Amino acid sequence: MPLPLSQRKSLRDNEEHLKNAHETIKAALGVDWTFEFDFELITSKCTDSYVQESLGECFYKEVATNVAECIAEQTKDEMIKEALLEANTNQKIIVAPNEDKKFTQYWSYEFVNGDLKVHFRPSIANISDVKYFKLASIIPSPGVFSLPARINLKENAEKFTEALEKAKEVTKMDWSYDESSLESVYPNIEQTYQERIGDIFSEIVTNICYNLATRSADAMVLEALQEIAPNAKIVFKYDSKQSDYWVWKFVGGDLVVSFKSICNTGDNSYLDFEKLL
């Protein structure tokens, strides 16, 4: 059944905003994406006077514009841009109501079969939420790390490098950390910390390297360290059964740093590893 004349006029009068939203997305991504609205469904589920009387203003001027600005702002990060293009294979944005009673947000994004879907509660409110939604939180990511975790690791790459260089300067050993071991412990980290894995482990590596450099100022300690850890590699391990929060061991030429929880990370700065040499 066709929409009432007043709603069709509202859509027509706001088409310029939809066109501008398309252009904003194309400028940000370099490709054309389309919006898909089922207005018969929307108007049957959304009985608010704003939707019924200002359909074009609501969905073209406000929703489409906010979606486009969200994409344009957040894809300034190349990792998000690349991941978003890979995820939205159909290059389509579907805006639709979500009647599930478990859906408690006013607005949410998700990927379904190569489409980017923007869901909203039938009782329209807080449209500005669309602009500030964290896209990285819902974009699929290859490998173990979520996209926010990958971004956070990238943001902290320089801190890792600086810490390792300081240890190298004193010990004359080319220190590194085992990235695969970080992947292996990632699922065991409290979920609230996972997106901050770069912040947390760059600090941990900084503490470890500070300890190595400080104690290696003693020539006898340095000589023993060089003998027991020729690989100069920091390997992380999760062990829920260990009694201390952090335990160091030298295994197969590596320094194995195990933990039972992300707590008391500063212990790594002062742990007495000389008794292990």
Side-chain angles (χ1 to χ4, degrees), residues 108-159:
S108 183
Y109 293 69
E110 72 169 332
F111 285 96
V112 180
N113 299 325
D115 294 324
L116 176 57
K117 290 196 172 184
V118 180
H119 295 296
F120 59 91
R121 290 165 66 177
S123 180
I124 296 286
N126 297 3
I127 296 177
S128 62
D129 289 357
V130 176
K131 181 176 180 178
Y132 302 105
F133 188 90
K134 299 299 183 183
L135 292 175
S137 67
I138 54 94
I139 300 175
S141 179
V144 176
F145 298 126
S146 68
L147 181 57
R150 288 171 53 205
I151 292 170
N152 192 246
L153 282 167
K154 179 183 177 182
E155 291 172 344
N156 285 277
E158 189 172 335
K159 292 181 181 179

Side-chain angles (χ1 to χ4, degrees), residues 9-194:
K9 287 179 66 178
S10 178
L11 292 172
R12 180 204 63 190
D13 293 344
N14 286 276
E15 279 184 354
E16 189 66 23
H17 296 294
L18 181 62
K19 179 181 177 182
N20 290 339
H22 280 130
E23 292 301 318
T24 298
I25 293 172
K26 184 176 181 179
L29 301 179
V31 294
D32 282 311
W33 281 13
T34 59
F35 281 90
E36 182 176 295
F37 300 92
D38 184 340
F39 285 117
E40 289 187 23
L41 174 65
I42 289 172
T43 54
S44 69
K45 301 297 182 181
C46 305
T47 58
D48 297 17
S49 60
Y50 181 48
V51 173
Q52 295 294 324
E53 298 172 10
S54 305
L55 192 62
E57 180 178 342
C58 179
F59 286 95
Y60 286 176
K61 183 178 180 179
E62 292 205 54
V63 176
T65 297
N66 278 300
V67 170
E69 291 179 355
C70 175
I71 291 171
E73 179 62 29
Q74 295 186 42
T75 54
K76 290 178 182 178
D77 185 305
E78 285 298 321
M79 288 183 69
I80 295 178
K81 179 178 178 179
E82 179 181 347
L84 185 63
L85 287 169
E86 290 179 357
N88 194 1
T89 54
N90 296 333
Q91 300 179 356
K92 185 187 298 181
I93 302 168
I94 299 175
V95 182
N98 187 330
E99 295 183 280
D100 189 338
K101 292 182 179 180
K102 295 180 181 179
F103 183 73
T104 57
Q105 299 168 273
Y106 283 107
W107 297 87
S108 183
Y109 293 69
E110 72 169 332
F111 285 96
V112 180
N113 299 325
D115 294 324
L116 176 57
K117 290 196 172 184
V118 180
H119 295 296
F120 59 91
R121 290 165 66 177
S123 180
I124 296 286
N126 297 3
I127 296 177
S128 62
D129 289 357
V130 176
K131 181 176 180 178
Y132 302 105
F133 188 90
K134 299 299 183 183
L135 292 175
S137 67
I138 54 94
I139 300 175
S141 179
V144 176
F145 298 126
S146 68
L147 181 57
R150 288 171 53 205
I151 292 170
N152 192 246
L153 282 167
K154 179 183 177 182
E155 291 172 344
N156 285 277
E158 189 172 335
K159 292 181 181 179
F160 281 105
T161 300
E162 289 177 356
L164 294 165
E165 284 297 321
K166 288 180 180 179
K168 178 181 178 180
E169 183 179 347
V170 175
T171 65
K172 311 306 178 185
M173 302 165 70
D174 193 9
W175 285 95
S176 64
Y177 76 93
D178 184 6
E179 295 183 14
S180 63
S181 72
L182 194 56
E183 290 183 355
S184 70
V185 302
Y186 174 75
N188 302 113
I189 298 172
E190 292 91 331
Q191 194 168 7
T192 54
Y193 292 154
Q194 288 183 345

